Amino acid sequence: MRDIGPAERWLIQESMGKIMSRKKIIAGNWKMNKTVHEALTLVAELKAQLIEFEGSDIVVVPPFTALYPVGLILEDTNIDLGAQNIFWKASGAYTSQISGTMLIDVGVKYVIIGHSEPRGRFGVPEPDAPEDFYRYFGESDYTVNLKVLAALKSGLTPIICVGETLDERKAGNTDTVVRDQVIKSLNKVDTVTSSHIIFAYEPVWAIGTGEVCDAAEADRVCGVIRDEIANQLGKEVAEAVRIQYGGSMKPDNAAELLSKENIDGGLIGGASLKAADFAAIVKAAQ
Ligand code: PGA
């Protein structure tokens, strides 16, 4: 970690002040669900159920096709817009990719980077998939880092996902895997712009499986992530960074997970697709 001067320290403290005591952040990752029509219905229900709710930051993360119309509906509300991916180049001949400028253009504030699914690490493996199937989900620690740098440069807040597979956990490698992902994601990230970064601890074996990580263990691993952020970016930044838990978070287990010291929010998949469930989790964060 490089030394920081008084000006940098002041800037960090400024942004820490804004995140003071780490306001909870609940984000709904809709994955590849919801047409535009369905998305607008869901978001209208959420607006009604969460009107004037101020206790936590609330984010919905629709598929790319629904970002623009959902963003229009969310203007001037307490719900922010997130995207599920970003490409690291600003523009050019990159068929199929979406840049940070394009995301900002449609009102996006947050972007999920390095989710286990684009990394080709699935909680529920694809049945009968050939050997090379997972190669097509080509996210790596290297591309995650390029995307984190691009998001910060564009003015977006990255939500960086890390987490171990079941085999890695069984082999006793959880902490090593997670620390390694944190280190690689933060390569060349500087101390000044990084205190608003968000991490999500998402044990791969808990995603979409109904298996939830024990709250004490989830808290412990989030603590490991914070410790590694401190190694990379210093203690002040590590204390300011918010760390979400993701993996089968539901209305009935959210309150316990969200009460833990190192868990500052949730990244919700399945339960974010129903307004009542997502609203219940948002309220459980209180
Ligand atoms: P899940 O997904 O809540 O459906 O397990 C969480 C995620 O993948 O972000």
Side-chain angles (χ1 to χ4, degrees):
M1 196 193 84
R2 69 188 169 89
D3 285 341
I4 56 171
E8 281 183 310
R9 187 173 300 277
W10 181 82
L11 265 168
I12 294 166
Q13 279 162 352
E14 265 286 280
S15 56
M16 273 177 72
K18 288 193 198 112
I19 306 171
M20 216 32 192
S21 80
R22 299 201 301 261
K23 189 177 186 189
K24 296 262 192 288
I25 175 160
I26 309 294
N29 174 11
W30 297 0
K31 307 192 178 182
M32 198 178 71
N33 293 291
K34 306 291 177 191
T35 60
V36 169
H37 181 75
E38 291 164 349
L40 292 177
T41 306
L42 175 55
V43 99
E45 288 169 9
L46 283 175
K47 261 174 68 175
Q49 295 192 29
L50 294 169
I51 196 162
E52 286 175 13
F53 185 90
E54 282 182 349
S56 307
D57 288 334
I58 310 168
V59 186
V60 292
V61 191
F64 285 125
T65 46
L67 282 176
Y68 180 60
V70 168
L72 290 180
I73 301 287
L74 292 181
E75 259 173 32
D76 302 319
T77 70
N78 54 346
I79 305 177
D80 287 318
L81 192 62
Q84 295 179 22
N85 208 345
I86 181 176
F87 193 60
W88 56 88
K89 294 282 188 175
S91 64
Y94 301 104
T95 304
S96 85
Q97 304 298 335
I98 307 277
S99 72
T101 317
M102 292 168 172
L103 297 178
I104 295 271
D105 189 39
V106 294
V108 167
K109 271 179 78 174
Y110 297 88
V111 58
I112 296 176
I113 298 175
H115 189 281
S116 55
E117 286 154 8
R119 284 182 197 253
R121 289 153 66 85
F122 287 89
V124 184
E126 200 65 23
D128 308 324
E131 275 281 290
D132 63 356
F133 171 81
Y134 296 99
R135 203 156 47 80
Y136 297 105
F137 298 83
E139 196 80 275
S140 68
D141 288 323
Y142 179 69
T143 59
V144 167
N145 177 239
L146 292 179
K147 290 177 180 188
V148 169
L149 294 169
L152 290 171
K153 197 166 168 203
S154 315
L156 293 159
T157 295
I159 299 179
I160 309 170
C161 301
V162 298
E164 80 289 357
T165 62
L166 191 57
D167 286 348
E168 289 163 347
R169 173 163 281 270
K170 281 186 181 155
N173 292 335
T174 298
D175 295 10
T176 324
V177 166
V178 165
R179 278 188 192 273
D180 192 52
Q181 290 173 336
V182 172
I183 293 169
K184 288 177 175 155
S185 72
L186 292 177
N187 185 33
K188 297 195 186 132
V189 169
D190 71 70
T191 325
V192 181
T193 51
S194 55
S195 48
H196 69 287
I197 286 180
I198 294 167
F199 272 88
Y201 168 51
E202 299 215 308
V204 178
W205 50 270
I207 295 182
T209 57
E211 292 270 341
V212 67
C213 186
D214 172 70
E217 172 62 5
D219 185 47
R220 188 194 68 78
V221 182
C222 288
V224 169
I225 292 169
R226 199 175 303 286
D227 184 61
E228 196 51 60
I229 299 168
N231 291 341
Q232 301 305 312
L233 298 170
K235 215 169 163 21
E236 281 170 318
V237 172
E239 283 306 314
V241 164
R242 293 182 287 179
I243 304 175
Q244 300 173 309
Y245 167 80
S248 300
M249 192 184 273
K250 305 270 185 269
D252 61 356
N253 59 30
E256 193 191 356
L257 286 157
L258 293 167
S259 70
K260 297 291 180 197
E261 188 189 336
N262 275 304
I263 302 181
D264 307 313
L267 184 54
I268 326 294
S272 70
L273 300 174
K274 287 201 184 117
D277 287 354
F278 187 66
I281 295 174
V282 170
K283 288 173 185 166
Q286 282 313 88

